[in-house]
Amino acid sequence: MTIDRSFKPRHFNWRLDGGVAVVSLPRPERKNPLTFDSYAELRDTFRALAYADDVKAVVFASNGGNFCSGGDVNDILGPLLDKDMKGLLAFTRMTGDLVKAMKAAPQPVIAAVDGVCVGAGAMIALFADLRLGTPAAKTAFLFTRVGLAGCDMGACAMLPRVIGQSRTMSAEEGERWGFFNRLVAPEALEAEAVALARSLAAGPTFAHMMTKTMLNQEWSMTLDQAIEAEAQAQAICMQTRDFRRAYEAFMAKQKPAFAGD
């Protein structure tokens, strides 16, 4: 899969402008549910972003006043009843592979959350690197309501790390607890998210990639291991041209023009 300006996914919306890719789910009349096809295509796209030099940052946007209503009842939940264990496990691994691909992508991923953001949609927002919400955002992890465990797609590992355990949240609580980086007006949501993405895309993108990599890897490190890993990461970044550009711009009392190398 090649991710460039000619890329046209079949099962989700996509546009690329100025190094910022904006993704959203279709079917706003149904609050943008996920399907088997959109899960798979999103997974493959985020995996391919590792090789997409034209993409510097990603916004996962809302559409029609909502983010995502989770898995489509007709397209996913119903057909799952007819699958055997092998087929069920293939599906549940695919859903986990989507959020793993989001975390592994070198680009920062920003979720712009308005309205309904539940189930697998909440997991997509949770695995974004930054989240902007509106006061109308309604985030919930509803897996137990359909008789499933609440541990889907890494929820029990990631959510307590973000907001702590034993909490439900409104949009305002989500901002206070750190789920949302900030709340903005619904009409300004996507523009604010794209502006944030553009500011990241214009920055030292190799350094952003290294930062995201270390944030992911240090979860399983001791403190001493993390300090050593960060020393190695900084030494690598000090070999980049962007590091030299920053120094030269500072000495010239100018703003550095980063190029990502």
Side-chain angles (χ1 to χ4, degrees), residues 147-197:
L148 298 176
C151 57
D152 199 34
M153 298 170 69
C156 287
M158 180 67 85
L159 191 59
R161 286 177 164 92
V162 174
I163 68 168
Q165 290 194 226
S166 303
R167 290 185 173 183
T168 60
M169 63 182 178
S170 64
E172 291 77 12
E173 288 168 335
E175 182 184 30
R176 291 200 303 271
W177 298 340
F179 185 84
F180 292 121
N181 295 88
R182 70 175 183 266
L183 298 181
V184 299
E187 61 272 16
L189 176 63
E190 186 168 323
E192 290 271 354
V194 170
L196 177 57

Coordinates of all heavy atoms in Angstrom, one line a residue, residues 147-197:
G147 N -22.7 -8.0 26.3 CA -22.3 -9.3 26.8 C -20.8 -9.6 26.6 O -20.5 -10.8 26.7
L148 N -20.0 -8.6 26.3 CA -18.6 -8.9 26.1 C -17.8 -8.3 27.3 O -18.3 -7.5 28.0 CB -18.1 -8.2 24.8 CG -18.8 -8.8 23.5 CD1 -18.3 -8.0 22.3 CD2 -18.5 -10.2 23.3
A149 N -16.6 -8.8 27.4 CA -15.7 -8.3 28.5 C -15.3 -6.8 28.2 O -15.2 -6.4 27.1 CB -14.4 -9.1 28.6
G150 N -15.1 -6.1 29.3 CA -14.7 -4.7 29.1 C -13.3 -4.5 28.8 O -12.7 -3.4 28.8
C151 N -12.5 -5.6 28.5 CA -11.1 -5.6 28.3 C -10.8 -5.6 26.8 O -9.7 -5.9 26.4 CB -10.4 -6.7 28.9 SG -11.0 -8.4 28.4
D152 N -11.7 -5.1 25.9 CA -11.5 -5.2 24.5 C -10.4 -4.2 24.0 O -10.3 -3.1 24.4 CB -12.8 -4.9 23.8 CG -12.8 -5.4 22.4 OD1 -12.2 -6.5 22.1 OD2 -13.5 -4.8 21.5
M153 N -9.6 -4.7 23.1 CA -8.6 -3.9 22.3 C -7.6 -3.1 23.2 O -7.1 -2.1 22.9 CB -9.4 -2.8 21.4 CG -10.3 -3.4 20.4 SD -11.4 -2.2 19.6 CE -10.2 -1.3 18.6
G154 N -7.3 -3.7 24.4 CA -6.3 -3.1 25.2 C -6.9 -2.1 26.2 O -6.1 -1.4 26.9
A155 N -8.2 -2.1 26.4 CA -8.8 -1.1 27.3 C -8.3 -1.2 28.7 O -8.1 -0.1 29.3 CB -10.4 -1.2 27.2
C156 N -8.2 -2.4 29.2 CA -7.9 -2.5 30.6 C -6.4 -2.2 30.9 O -6.0 -1.9 32.0 CB -8.2 -4.0 31.1 SG -9.9 -4.2 31.3
A157 N -5.6 -2.2 29.8 CA -4.2 -1.8 30.0 C -4.0 -0.3 29.8 O -3.3 0.4 30.5 CB -3.3 -2.5 28.9
M158 N -4.7 0.3 28.8 CA -4.5 1.7 28.5 C -5.3 2.7 29.3 O -4.8 3.7 29.7 CB -4.8 1.9 27.0 CG -4.6 3.3 26.5 SD -2.9 3.8 26.5 CE -2.4 3.2 24.9
L159 N -6.6 2.4 29.5 CA -7.5 3.4 30.1 C -7.1 3.7 31.5 O -7.0 4.9 31.9 CB -8.9 2.9 30.1 CG -10.0 3.9 30.5 CD1 -9.9 5.2 29.6 CD2 -11.4 3.3 30.5
P160 N -6.7 2.8 32.4 CA -6.2 3.2 33.7 C -5.0 4.0 33.7 O -4.7 4.8 34.6 CB -6.0 1.8 34.4 CG -6.8 0.8 33.7 CD -6.8 1.3 32.3
R161 N -4.1 3.8 32.7 CA -2.9 4.6 32.6 C -3.3 6.1 32.2 O -2.5 7.0 32.6 CB -2.0 4.0 31.5 CG -1.3 2.8 31.9 CD -0.4 2.2 30.7 NE 0.5 1.3 31.1 CZ 0.4 0.0 31.1 NH1 -0.8 -0.5 30.8 NH2 1.3 -0.9 31.5
V162 N -4.4 6.3 31.5 CA -4.7 7.6 31.1 C -5.5 8.3 32.1 O -5.3 9.5 32.5 CB -5.5 7.5 29.8 CG1 -6.0 8.9 29.3 CG2 -4.6 7.0 28.7
I163 N -6.6 7.7 32.7 CA -7.5 8.4 33.7 C -7.6 7.7 35.0 O -8.2 8.3 35.9 CB -8.9 8.6 33.1 CG1 -9.6 7.2 33.0 CG2 -8.9 9.3 31.7 CD1 -11.1 7.3 32.7
G164 N -6.9 6.6 35.2 CA -7.1 5.9 36.5 C -8.2 4.9 36.4 O -8.9 4.8 35.4
Q165 N -8.4 4.1 37.5 CA -9.4 3.1 37.5 C -10.7 3.5 38.1 O -10.7 4.5 38.9 CB -8.8 1.8 38.2 CG -7.8 1.1 37.4 CD -7.5 -0.3 38.0 OE1 -6.3 -0.6 38.1 NE2 -8.5 -1.0 38.2
S166 N -11.7 2.8 37.9 CA -13.0 3.0 38.5 C -13.6 4.3 38.3 O -14.2 5.0 39.2 CB -12.9 2.7 40.0 OG -12.4 1.4 40.3
R167 N -13.5 4.8 37.0 CA -14.1 6.1 36.7 C -15.0 6.0 35.5 O -14.7 5.3 34.5 CB -13.0 7.1 36.4 CG -12.2 7.5 37.6 CD -11.2 8.6 37.3 NE -10.5 9.1 38.5 CZ -9.6 10.1 38.5 NH1 -9.3 10.7 37.4 NH2 -9.1 10.5 39.6
T168 N -16.1 6.8 35.5 CA -16.8 7.2 34.3 C -16.6 8.6 34.1 O -16.3 9.4 35.1 CB -18.3 6.8 34.4 OG1 -18.8 7.5 35.5 CG2 -18.5 5.3 34.6
M169 N -16.9 9.2 32.9 CA -16.5 10.6 32.8 C -17.5 11.3 31.8 O -17.9 10.7 30.8 CB -15.1 10.7 32.3 CG -14.8 10.1 30.9 SD -13.1 10.2 30.4 CE -13.2 9.3 28.9
S170 N -17.7 12.6 32.1 CA -18.3 13.5 31.2 C -17.2 14.1 30.4 O -16.0 13.9 30.6 CB -19.1 14.6 31.9 OG -18.1 15.3 32.7
A171 N -17.5 15.0 29.4 CA -16.5 15.6 28.6 C -15.6 16.5 29.5 O -14.4 16.5 29.4 CB -17.1 16.5 27.5
E172 N -16.2 17.2 30.5 CA -15.5 18.1 31.3 C -14.5 17.3 32.3 O -13.4 17.6 32.5 CB -16.4 19.0 32.2 CG -17.1 20.0 31.4 CD -18.3 19.5 30.5 OE1 -18.7 18.3 30.8 OE2 -18.8 20.2 29.7
E173 N -15.1 16.2 32.8 CA -14.2 15.3 33.6 C -13.1 14.7 32.8 O -12.0 14.6 33.3 CB -15.1 14.2 34.2 CG -16.0 14.7 35.3 CD -17.0 13.6 35.7 OE1 -17.3 12.8 34.9 OE2 -17.5 13.7 36.9
G174 N -13.4 14.3 31.5 CA -12.3 13.8 30.7 C -11.2 14.8 30.5 O -10.0 14.4 30.4
E175 N -11.5 16.1 30.4 CA -10.5 17.1 30.3 C -9.7 17.2 31.6 O -8.4 17.3 31.6 CB -11.1 18.5 29.9 CG -10.0 19.5 29.7 CD -10.6 20.9 29.5 OE1 -11.7 21.2 30.0 OE2 -9.9 21.7 28.8
R176 N -10.4 17.2 32.7 CA -9.7 17.4 34.0 C -8.8 16.2 34.3 O -7.7 16.3 34.8 CB -10.7 17.5 35.1 CG -11.4 18.8 35.2 CD -12.0 19.1 36.5 NE -12.9 18.0 37.0 CZ -14.2 18.0 36.8 NH1 -14.8 18.9 36.1 NH2 -15.0 17.0 37.3
W177 N -9.2 15.0 33.9 CA -8.4 13.8 34.2 C -7.4 13.4 33.1 O -6.6 12.5 33.3 CB -9.4 12.6 34.3 CG -10.4 12.7 35.4 CD1 -10.3 13.6 36.5 CD2 -11.6 12.0 35.6 NE1 -11.4 13.4 37.3 CE2 -12.2 12.5 36.7 CE3 -12.3 11.1 34.8 CZ2 -13.5 12.0 37.2 CZ3 -13.5 10.6 35.2 CH2 -14.1 11.1 36.4
G178 N -7.4 14.2 32.0 CA -6.3 14.0 31.0 C -6.7 13.2 29.8 O -5.8 12.9 29.0
F179 N -8.0 12.7 29.7 CA -8.4 12.0 28.5 C -8.4 12.9 27.3 O -7.8 12.7 26.3 CB -9.7 11.4 28.7 CG -10.2 10.5 27.5 CD1 -9.8 9.2 27.4 CD2 -11.0 11.0 26.5 CE1 -10.2 8.4 26.3 CE2 -11.4 10.3 25.4 CZ -11.0 8.9 25.4
F180 N -9.0 14.1 27.5 CA -8.9 15.2 26.5 C -7.8 16.2 26.9 O -7.8 16.6 28.0 CB -10.3 15.9 26.4 CG -11.4 15.1 25.8 CD1 -12.5 14.8 26.5 CD2 -11.3 14.5 24.6 CE1 -13.6 14.0 26.0 CE2 -12.3 13.7 24.0 CZ -13.4 13.5 24.8
N181 N -7.0 16.5 25.9 CA -6.0 17.6 26.1 C -6.7 18.9 26.3 O -6.2 19.7 27.1 CB -5.0 17.6 25.0 CG -4.2 16.3 24.9 OD1 -4.6 15.4 24.2 ND2 -3.1 16.3 25.5
R182 N -7.8 19.2 25.6 CA -8.6 20.3 25.8 C -9.9 20.2 25.1 O -10.1 19.4 24.2 CB -7.9 21.6 25.4 CG -7.7 21.8 23.9 CD -7.1 23.2 23.6 NE -7.0 23.4 22.2 CZ -5.9 23.2 21.4 NH1 -4.9 22.7 22.0 NH2 -5.9 23.5 20.1
L183 N -10.9 21.0 25.6 CA -12.2 21.0 24.9 C -12.3 22.3 24.1 O -11.9 23.3 24.5 CB -13.3 21.0 26.0 CG -13.4 19.8 26.9 CD1 -14.6 19.9 27.9 CD2 -13.5 18.5 26.1
V184 N -13.0 22.1 22.9 CA -13.2 23.3 22.1 C -14.6 23.2 21.6 O -15.3 22.2 21.7 CB -12.2 23.3 20.9 CG1 -10.8 23.3 21.3 CG2 -12.4 22.0 20.0
A185 N -15.1 24.3 21.0 CA -16.5 24.4 20.5 C -16.6 23.4 19.3 O -15.7 23.2 18.5 CB -16.8 25.8 20.0
P186 N -17.8 22.8 19.2 CA -18.0 21.8 18.1 C -17.6 22.3 16.7 O -17.0 21.7 15.9 CB -19.5 21.4 18.2 CG -19.8 21.7 19.6 CD -19.0 22.9 20.0
E187 N -18.0 23.6 16.4 CA -17.8 24.2 15.1 C -16.3 24.4 14.8 O -15.9 24.6 13.7 CB -18.6 25.4 14.9 CG -18.2 26.6 15.9 CD -19.0 26.5 17.2 OE1 -19.6 25.5 17.5 OE2 -19.0 27.5 17.9
A188 N -15.5 24.4 15.9 CA -14.1 24.7 15.7 C -13.2 23.4 15.8 O -12.0 23.5 15.7 CB -13.6 25.8 16.7
L189 N -13.8 22.3 16.1 CA -13.1 21.1 16.5 C -12.1 20.7 15.5 O -10.9 20.5 15.7 CB -14.1 20.0 16.8 CG -13.4 18.6 17.2 CD1 -12.6 18.7 18.4 CD2 -14.5 17.5 17.3
E190 N -12.6 20.4 14.3 CA -11.6 19.9 13.2 C -10.6 20.9 12.9 O -9.4 20.5 12.7 CB -12.4 19.4 12.0 CG -11.5 18.7 11.0 CD -12.3 18.1 9.9 OE1 -13.3 17.5 10.1 OE2 -11.8 18.1 8.7
A191 N -10.9 22.2 12.8 CA -9.9 23.2 12.5 C -8.9 23.3 13.6 O -7.7 23.4 13.3 CB -10.6 24.5 12.3
E192 N -9.3 23.1 14.8 CA -8.3 23.2 15.9 C -7.4 21.9 15.9 O -6.2 22.0 16.1 CB -9.0 23.2 17.3 CG -9.8 24.5 17.6 CD -8.9 25.5 18.3 OE1 -7.7 25.1 18.6 OE2 -9.3 26.6 18.4
A193 N -8.0 20.8 15.6 CA -7.2 19.6 15.5 C -6.2 19.6 14.3 O -5.0 19.2 14.5 CB -8.1 18.3 15.3
V194 N -6.6 20.1 13.2 CA -5.7 20.3 12.0 C -4.7 21.3 12.3 O -3.5 21.1 12.0 CB -6.5 20.6 10.8 CG1 -5.6 21.0 9.6 CG2 -7.5 19.5 10.3
A195 N -5.0 22.4 13.0 CA -4.0 23.4 13.3 C -2.9 22.8 14.3 O -1.7 23.0 14.1 CB -4.6 24.6 14.0
L196 N -3.4 22.0 15.2 CA -2.4 21.3 16.1 C -1.5 20.3 15.3 O -0.3 20.2 15.5 CB -3.2 20.5 17.2 CG -2.3 19.7 18.2 CD1 -1.3 20.6 18.9 CD2 -3.3 19.0 19.2
A197 N -2.2 19.6 14.4 CA -1.4 18.6 13.6 C -0.4 19.4 12.7 O 0.7 18.9 12.5 CB -2.4 17.8 12.7

